[in-house]
Amino acid sequence: MQPKYKPPLLYALLPGLLLFSGCATTVTTDTGDRAIQEQEALVTKPLIRNDQPGQMVELYQHPASPSSEEQNRQLLQAVEALIQAGDGDTAKHNADAINPAELLPEQRSWLNLLYAQILLSSGEAEQAIENMAMIQLQQLSLDNQIKYFQSQAFAYSLTGNLLDSVKSRIELHQLLTSPEELEKNQAAILETLSLLPDTALQSNQTDVLAGWMSLSNVLKNINQPDFNAQLSQWRATFPAHPANLKFLDQPQGTQEDALLQPKSIALLLPESGTFAQAGKAIRAGFMAAYNHANTNSKPAIHFYDSEQSAPAALYNQAVAEGAQLVIGPLAKEQIQSLADTAALNIPVLALNHIPGLQKNQLYQFSLSPLDDADQITHRARSDGHQKVLLLIPESAPGKRIANYLTEDWQNQEGAILEIQTYNPKETDFSSPIQKLLNLDESEQRYNKILTLLPGVKYTPRRRQDADAILLSAYSAEARSINPQLQFYQAGDLPVYAMPSVYTGQVNQSLDADLNKITFCDTPWLFNKAYQGELGMDALQETWKQFPNSYLRLIAMGIDAYNLATHLNNLETEPYPGATGNLSLTDDQRIKRKLTCAKFIDGRPEISDFAAENQPNYAVY
């Protein structure tokens, strides 16, 4: 029997080039300071201007003098060291201090490459691609050519241009000599191709790219009876292809296979009661993923109504009937009851989260506001904001979210200037907004001035000490709040909102009132953010059966099924799921890294993919 091919995850295969994972001492030199002072209009380089980021200008430069060649080489090496140490800001500062007119042609190409890496370190993939387009590849050393294709492949993957990412890796493959590097690059090629639809992998060519595409298609049929015949045909069609197929001969441990692929899964979801509709949405996503799975060894699925018996009784029944994994229950009280009363002999993937609850074999997976608050505060902080105002609903959930936002913001050394609540049942939010902006105090001063100095004109002004607003609101409320913020002179204050601000479906006419609001949400809701095959377009007939408020639960069901084969290694190999980039915390909670977007012309425009909110990047 042929072993099942399990290609590593793409982002787990990107060690190497840019290990932005540490701090570094700022590198400054007298030469760098002097270079800043000696910049002349004639001297240019690919510029990353504050007013025009990523715009590049090139003029003819004077050749470097022999006396400056070694000094410039050292300056470039210092910038490279800062990039490797993860200090992109200082690296850019020192790169800006280098005078391109004093560089040899190969050094100017090196500088362009360094700028591209700096841009990648801040997630600016499109601009990095523009920088690399200006590089004369033949002017780079072999080592820098390798870094060039590594950076290019990574940049294309961040922008969702997967086929071009593969092409860059094919070029890279010709330059690598280490067996380990070749193996990792090959795995990255195959993993990237596996994310493309079958129609994109069809080709009647016989070049190297066509060979990789054909191999990716063949590997999808690895459990089919005619797999060996297909592989032999592939070898005959591409006899000189650089792919190394030795991984197919590596034995897989039966214990590992049993753990990664449970033969029987028990699904504990409510079929009646308060959460019946939520359970139905999760089940719809779960079964869509199950039916789409490309394997002959699908697990048996057994359904249990979590409302009909005590959680421990259902768990024991599932174990007795052969379950190797239990997914559910959904309600927090049932999860707590299961943890308190059952000895967990097989893993449980609970579909909610109880803070502080820990038990062996119990994993907790939920659409937790903990992740929502963490992501939006990190986004606001990475955008340079430090002093913020909080506007939240006057409710118990609102208070909890306010606590999450406050804790996350203060953990990032930010300051909360004021917290103001509003009544979500109202449509006029002018009073809490005026209080939040201190306009009520300004009005009192205005009335006093009118009393003391009749005829004096005075315009109430909002507070000037805040640089952003953190908002928790549903879309209907936010559509009223955002225009009122603009009316009360806060149109220049960036607004960062919890994901509840978005219904999950584009509605340009209504959501025009949400323009400029930034939020972080489930990747599945955005076009091209989720790389799996079961995106919203593919499951229209499924999600149209549910209200918009259940869309995220369908994505959760997709991930619940796929996590069955990733729980064992999720701590070290995050999984790119429909609900986010999923990883495992120390307390066995599955944490989600979300996709951030901003409303522009009534549409949420993605401002990141997998890399956003990542302070450090690893590119292989």
Side-chain angles (χ1 to χ4, degrees):
M1 179 183 296
Q2 288 286 350
K4 179 174 174 58
Y5 171 59
K6 297 191 285 289
L9 296 175
L10 175 59
Y11 51 81
L13 295 170
L14 306 178
L17 171 60
L18 305 178
L19 301 177
F20 302 108
S21 58
C23 299
T25 304
T26 301
V27 176
T28 59
T29 68
D30 293 339
T31 303
D33 294 336
R34 186 166 62 254
I36 295 175
Q37 299 169 2
E38 294 175 355
Q39 293 274 353
E40 297 178 350
L42 177 63
V43 178
T44 61
K45 60 173 173 282
L47 293 177
I48 307 176
R49 298 176 176 171
N50 292 332
D51 59 334
Q52 294 174 300
Q55 179 173 340
M56 292 154 288
V57 183
E58 259 199 48
L59 299 177
Y60 292 102
Q61 288 101 355
H62 298 298
S65 63
S67 60
S68 65
E69 179 180 344
E70 178 59 24
Q71 289 179 328
N72 286 323
R73 186 184 66 80
Q74 293 175 359
L75 285 173
L76 291 167
Q77 288 177 335
V79 172
E80 186 173 62
L82 287 166
I83 294 172
Q84 295 288 341
D87 193 349
D89 291 338
T90 307
K92 181 183 180 302
H93 173 78
N94 286 326
D96 289 341
I98 297 175
N99 190 339
E102 298 181 352
L103 299 180
L104 296 171
E106 55 268 27
Q107 290 178 330
R108 286 197 293 272
S109 289
W110 185 6
L111 180 61
N112 277 341
L113 178 60
L114 294 174
Y115 270 113
Q117 293 174 0
I118 292 169
L119 287 164
L120 275 177
S121 72
S122 59
E124 303 292 340
E126 292 87 353
Q127 295 172 32
I129 291 170
E130 291 179 6
N131 260 66
M132 286 185 282
M134 300 178 63
I135 295 174
Q136 297 294 321
L137 188 62
Q138 67 274 14
Q139 293 179 348
L140 294 176
S141 66
L142 176 61
D143 183 53
N144 279 336
Q145 287 184 35
I146 290 174
K147 292 176 181 177
Y148 170 87
F149 285 116
Q150 289 169 335
S151 298
Q152 189 180 64
F154 187 51
Y156 281 135
S157 69
L158 291 183
T159 59
N161 199 339
L162 300 183
L163 192 57
D164 280 343
S165 179
V166 168
K167 292 177 181 177
S168 296
R169 291 196 174 278
I170 290 173
E171 296 292 336
L172 173 62
H173 213 72
Q174 302 177 60
L175 303 177
L176 298 175
T177 57
S178 164
E180 182 181 358
E181 291 177 341
L182 285 165
E183 180 181 349
K184 290 178 179 178
N185 192 59
Q186 170 171 302
I189 290 173
L190 292 173
E191 175 65 15
T192 304
L193 289 172
S194 73
L195 298 175
L196 292 171
D198 291 344
T199 53
L201 298 178
Q202 304 302 322
S203 174
N204 56 8
Q205 304 296 315
T206 57
D207 57 10
V208 174
L209 173 60
W212 285 112
M213 294 165 66
S214 176
L215 178 59
S216 179
N217 270 328
V218 170
L219 291 173
K220 291 180 179 180
N221 300 316
I222 196 167
N223 292 316
Q224 299 296 326
D226 63 343
F227 171 72
N228 286 333
Q230 291 185 44
L231 190 61
S232 297
Q233 180 60 48
W234 181 87
R235 292 181 191 272
T237 306
F238 304 96
H241 199 273
N244 187 337
L245 302 184
K246 288 183 178 179
F247 65 86
L248 293 172
D249 300 324
Q250 296 173 357
Q252 304 289 325
T254 56
Q255 183 177 2
E256 179 187 13
D257 285 344
L259 184 59
L260 290 177
Q261 295 182 332
K263 296 180 180 179
S264 179
I265 296 177
L267 196 61
L268 277 60
L269 287 174
E271 298 177 13
S272 57
T274 305
F275 300 112
Q277 187 77 340
K280 183 179 178 181
I282 293 173
R283 176 169 172 166
F286 181 93
M287 292 309 299
Y290 174 80
N291 292 326
H292 184 76
N294 186 21
T295 175
N296 286 334
S297 55
K298 293 181 182 179
I301 307 295
H302 299 279
F303 300 95
Y304 301 84
D305 183 358
S306 59
E307 298 299 302
Q308 296 303 310
S309 300
L314 290 176
Y315 174 85
N316 291 330
Q317 179 184 349
V319 172
E321 293 175 355
Q324 295 180 338
L325 171 68
V326 170
I327 297 180
L330 177 59
K332 289 186 177 182
E333 311 83 58
Q334 294 175 346
I335 296 172
Q336 186 68 62
S337 174
L338 180 63
D340 291 342
T341 59
L344 303 184
N345 300 316
I346 63 171
V348 172
L349 179 62
L351 299 177
N352 214 322
H353 173 240
I354 301 175
L357 176 62
Q358 282 187 258
K359 184 166 183 172
N360 188 38
Q361 295 276 54
L362 176 64
Y363 301 86
Q364 297 185 73
F365 173 45
S366 72
L367 305 181
S368 172
L370 285 170
D371 297 327
D372 302 335
D374 175 74
Q375 297 292 284
I376 197 60
T377 55
H378 274 81
R379 178 55 190 260
R381 200 71 177 93
S382 68
D383 286 346
H385 305 299
Q386 200 269 334
K387 298 177 181 179
V388 300
L389 307 172
L390 261 63
L391 186 58
I392 60 171
E394 195 175 86
S395 62
K399 291 179 182 178
R400 285 196 297 271
I401 290 173
N403 290 336
Y404 297 149
L405 291 170
T406 300
E407 183 178 357
D408 287 337
W409 193 253
Q410 292 176 344
N411 285 341
Q412 299 174 70
E413 300 181 354
I416 304 288
L417 300 183
E418 186 166 339
I419 301 176
Q420 187 59 239
T421 61
Y422 65 88
N423 186 346
K425 296 181 180 180
E426 297 180 355
T427 56
D428 182 3
F429 304 104
S430 57
S431 179
I433 287 175
Q434 290 184 73
K435 291 179 181 178
L436 186 71
L437 301 175
N438 282 354
L439 284 170
D440 55 337
E441 295 180 9
S442 182
E443 185 175 0
Q444 293 173 10
R445 291 194 298 271
Y446 166 67
N447 292 331
K448 185 175 182 180
I449 288 175
L450 286 181
T451 301
L452 298 176
L453 301 171
V456 174
K457 293 183 178 181
Y458 178 78
T459 302
R461 296 183 60 203
R462 71 162 176 86
R463 66 192 304 160
Q464 300 297 308
D465 53 350
D467 50 32
I469 294 174
L470 299 181
L471 172 67
S472 176
Y474 286 103
S475 53
E477 301 151 8
R479 289 169 186 151
S480 296
I481 290 173
N482 198 42
Q484 290 182 49
L485 283 171
Q486 298 180 42
F487 177 80
Y488 287 110
Q489 308 173 41
D492 60 332
L493 278 181
V495 177
Y496 295 84
M498 296 288 282
S500 55
V501 75
Y502 181 45
T503 63
Q505 289 196 56
V506 175
N507 190 327
Q508 282 188 272
S509 59
L510 290 178
D511 289 345
D513 285 332
L514 302 178
N515 281 347
K516 297 184 180 180
I517 292 181
T518 298
F519 67 104
C520 301
D521 208 339
T522 301
W524 192 71
L525 300 177
F526 303 107
N527 184 30
K528 297 183 180 179
Y530 173 54
Q531 298 300 317
E533 296 181 359
L534 292 179
M536 286 192 73
D537 289 344
L539 293 183
Q540 285 192 47
E541 297 304 316
T542 298
W543 58 258
K544 283 183 178 179
Q545 304 173 39
F546 297 91
N548 289 345
S549 57
Y550 290 90
L551 292 177
R552 295 169 181 84
L553 292 176
I554 296 173
M556 186 180 179
I558 295 172
D559 284 349
Y561 176 77
N562 290 324
L563 281 171
T565 58
H566 289 86
L567 286 177
N568 189 48
N569 54 9
L570 195 60
E571 188 172 3
T572 56
E573 295 183 12
Y575 173 72
T579 60
N581 197 32
L582 308 179
S583 59
L584 193 65
T585 65
D586 292 338
D587 60 354
Q588 299 289 85
R589 182 177 81 87
I590 295 174
K591 181 179 177 64
R592 298 174 299 126
K593 188 170 288 294
L594 308 174
T595 294
C596 294
K598 178 184 286 189
F599 282 102
I600 300 175
D601 295 330
R603 299 178 64 91
E605 299 291 342
I606 296 173
S607 55
D608 70 273
F609 288 91
E612 189 69 49
N613 300 322
Q614 291 274 15
N616 306 313
Y617 297 88
V619 177
Y620 178 81

